[in-house]
Amino acid sequence: MQKYINNAEEYILKTYNRYQIVLEKGEGVYLYDMNGKKYLDMAAGIAVFSLGYGNKKYNDALKEQIDAILHTSNLFYNKPAIEAAEKIVKASGMKKVFFTNSGTEAIEGALKVARKYAYNKDNTKEYEIIAMNHSFHGRSQGALAVTGNSKYQAGFVPKECVAVFADFNDIEDVKSKITDKTCGIICEPVQGEGGIYPADPEFLKELRKICDEKDILLIFDEVQCGMGRTGSLFAHDRYGVKPDVMALAKALGCGVPVGAFVVNDKADGALVPGDHGTTYGGNPFATKAVSTVFDLYEELGIVDHVNEVGAYMGKALDALVEKYDSVKAHRGVGLMHGLELDQPVGEIIKKCMDKGVIIINAGANILRFVPPLVIEKEHVDEMIAILDGVLAEM
Ligand SMILES: *Cc1c(COP(=O)(O)O)cnc(C)c1O
């Protein structure tokens, strides 16, 4: 394994400090490294692998698609993209879908929709987007511009997209940032990378009101919190607040790189032929994954399952807050949880990995739990036993 790690450091651009593990295979909610060591997975490839590893129907659907056709370009129609788009539209009650290759690109598209919507109204060329402090939306120039975290922006503050930052869950702050140039508000219903912070229901309702009054677009970034993660198919369903544009990715393809932005009736028509495009986006392989994911979510009752196991996990994490002074807080919903410690969590993560459970962080002091959505209560017990042991040791 060390030989591969050395080669990685020699040939792959070092933009990550990786864990010293080469993962080789997955089975259900377990991962195996090159040495055959088994890990219980509480990360799911960063909230991606909802269905767990090696789901036979999912794998078979993709194998079949490889043999049929992998790529067509968007100059032609392809069946999986049409089927996947119909499933997203019907599940969300929104209007139209644009497929991308990643979450970042879904955000880029969403920002373009907001900008063009404003432009179509009054030919305005100057515009601002209101984004939230501690948000994360991606690493490209536009997505980075609305990412309210100096950790990601330092040295790269983009000039392409003008973002104005307000405090998450502080509606007065948002109101104070509105100007004539504001063309949209972007927000994660549950902040992920920022440390697992769910929005207050009132906050999202007020954002909706502001956007209606000002005739600007409300963008929800559901890249991490969407696709069943919070115990409803889309996180905004829990809040009863509809966005004008929604960005999806991560679990949308459950392992195949794919994202999408979805527009409602109001935002539909902002972009016209020629305004936006992609070579790979919506290709039949990626969209076959999306279409199959929707089928399997229904067949397996994923959303109900998340509510049941998620509540169980929430209680178990609450108990750790009670038990240890060093564990400051638990936040989260469904199977998206954060445990805030009074110190950096790197050492805890490493000890957990040694003992066979993969837990990642979200910010320096926060352990993040975003397991495959098919985990069972017994897996939660297994994880808690190991984490409890590590916390006790420390
Ligand atoms: C991961 C993430 C993104 C970026 O998605 P990529 O697929 O990494 O480009 C955007 N927004 C949120 C909320 C995310 O969690």
Side-chain angles (χ1 to χ4, degrees):
M1 195 152 81
Q2 194 56 49
K3 194 184 105 207
Y4 280 87
I5 292 172
N6 294 346
N7 281 352
E9 294 306 334
E10 185 166 351
Y11 298 118
I12 296 176
L13 191 69
K14 191 155 183 71
T15 62
Y16 280 92
N17 287 313
R18 292 172 214 267
Y19 299 114
Q20 299 296 295
I21 295 171
V22 182
L23 291 173
E24 201 166 52
K25 131 184 135 153
E27 233 174 62
V29 298
Y30 291 95
L31 287 164
Y32 296 83
D33 71 16
M34 275 184 70
N35 298 337
K37 182 171 171 180
K38 184 179 180 183
Y39 303 87
L40 174 61
D41 181 21
M42 288 289 144
I46 316 187
V48 166
F49 246 103
S50 299
L51 296 169
Y53 305 94
N55 181 291
K56 190 170 181 330
K57 280 192 184 164
Y58 175 85
N59 289 0
D60 286 347
L62 289 181
K63 286 174 193 168
E64 216 174 275
Q65 191 59 46
I66 288 172
D67 288 335
I69 189 166
L70 267 176
H71 181 74
T72 56
S73 89
N74 282 304
L75 302 178
F76 305 92
Y77 297 99
N78 77 72
K79 275 199 279 186
I82 299 161
E83 285 163 9
E86 182 178 353
K87 286 171 191 175
I88 294 174
V89 164
K90 292 201 164 140
S92 65
M94 294 178 78
K95 194 83 187 288
K96 300 268 173 69
V97 180
F98 183 102
F99 288 110
T100 66
N101 307 296
S102 68
T104 298
E105 286 167 89
I107 296 297
E108 292 290 335
L111 296 174
K112 278 179 75 174
V113 172
R115 189 173 177 171
K116 188 75 191 307
Y117 183 84
Y119 180 83
N120 289 344
K121 268 194 307 181
D122 52 14
N123 264 5
T124 178
K125 293 191 180 59
E126 280 195 286
Y127 74 98
E128 293 168 355
I129 296 263
I130 295 179
M132 303 303 146
N133 285 316
H134 305 296
S135 60
F136 180 84
H137 299 294
R139 306 298 196 113
S140 63
Q141 297 286 310
L144 187 60
V146 290
T147 288
N149 191 326
S150 57
K151 182 172 94 185
Y152 302 109
Q153 276 200 344
F156 302 106
V157 178
K159 294 276 176 270
E160 285 308 307
C161 171
V162 181
V164 180
F165 292 98
D167 282 342
F168 187 58
N169 283 336
D170 184 344
I171 200 66
E172 291 311 318
D173 197 27
V174 173
K175 282 181 183 165
S176 76
K177 303 286 159 65
I178 299 266
T179 71
D180 291 348
K181 296 181 198 159
T182 309
C183 70
I185 301 177
I186 183 166
C187 159
E188 297 155 84
V190 181
Q191 288 191 335
E193 302 302 305
I196 316 293
Y197 288 93
D200 296 337
E202 255 333 281
F203 181 68
L204 295 191
K205 287 197 179 87
E206 288 292 321
L207 290 184
R208 180 68 273 171
K209 236 200 249 168
I210 293 171
C211 289
D212 289 341
E213 279 166 22
K214 302 278 170 198
D215 192 21
I216 58 176
L217 298 189
L218 179 60
I219 302 167
F220 281 164
D221 180 345
E222 295 229 10
V223 169
Q224 188 160 161
C225 62
M227 295 306 292
R229 176 66 48 196
T230 65
S232 56
L233 188 55
F234 303 111
H236 69 255
D237 293 335
R238 299 184 66 85
Y239 290 92
V241 178
K242 288 261 164 214
D244 299 305
V245 189
M246 168 169 67
L248 296 171
K250 290 198 164 87
L252 180 63
C254 280
V256 169
V258 59
F261 62 89
V262 191
V263 299
N264 70 358
D265 201 30
K266 175 173 161 186
D268 181 26
L271 298 181
V272 297
D275 275 354
H276 202 50
T278 165
T279 300
Y280 270 134
N283 96 5
F285 182 68
T287 49
K288 184 70 188 186
V290 175
S291 183
T292 307
V293 164
F294 273 85
D295 292 348
L296 285 169
Y297 265 50
E298 204 158 294
E299 188 184 316
L300 300 171
I302 290 284
V303 168
D304 290 340
H305 182 76
V306 169
N307 281 311
E308 194 187 325
V309 181
Y312 185 78
M313 187 179 202
K315 280 202 191 106
L317 293 172
D318 280 340
L320 294 180
V321 179
E322 289 292 309
K323 188 166 174 185
Y324 296 102
D325 286 344
S326 60
V327 183
K328 290 291 167 205
H330 161 236
R331 293 182 295 271
V333 58
L335 283 169
M336 183 172 186
H337 292 272
L339 210 53
E340 185 168 340
L341 278 93
D342 63 355
Q343 57 187 289
V345 292
E347 197 58 27
I348 297 171
I349 288 175
K350 195 174 167 303
K351 287 196 165 149
C352 285
M353 276 185 202
D354 289 345
K355 291 184 180 352
V357 58
I358 292 179
I359 302 172
I360 56 175
N361 67 311
N365 292 6
I366 296 157
L367 292 170
R368 168 169 36 172
F369 305 84
V370 285
L373 301 183
V374 295
I375 64 159
E376 299 289 349
K377 289 176 182 169
E378 72 206 54
H379 302 122
V380 175
D381 293 342
E382 186 185 342
M383 178 274 288
I384 292 286
I386 291 173
L387 179 58
D388 195 352
V390 168
L391 289 170
E393 241 175 69
M394 300 188 67

